[in-house]
Amino acid sequence: MKIGKQSVKIFKMKNRSGYAAICGNNLTEGGSVQQTYDRMVKAVRRTSRKTK
């Protein structure tokens, strides 16, 4: 999956019930793949606003 030009790596966490995603300097967690991706989109948007 991608957000803009950045790639998003989503994986299943072994010691928890759910998924995690890494993109750039962001790490998010969620109960499903879609929820994790949605949270990552929000995190990337938030950090891109901060750097401007």
Side-chain angles (χ1 to χ4, degrees):
M1 300 180 114
K2 289 190 160 216
I3 300 174
K5 293 183 180 180
Q6 299 178 347
S7 65
V8 178
K9 182 179 179 185
I10 298 177
F11 55 94
K12 177 84 170 116
M13 294 182 286
K14 289 188 178 186
N15 61 343
R16 296 186 184 181
S17 61
Y19 295 86
I22 297 175
C23 179
N25 290 330
N26 299 306
L27 172 69
T28 60
E29 297 180 8
S32 67
V33 173
Q34 186 61 43
Q35 182 185 30
T36 306
Y37 181 76
D38 292 340
R39 289 181 178 189
M40 181 56 72
V41 169
K42 185 176 179 181
V44 168
R45 190 178 323 130
R46 187 182 319 116
T47 55
S48 68
R49 271 193 314 226
K50 274 187 172 178
T51 59
K52 287 185 180 178

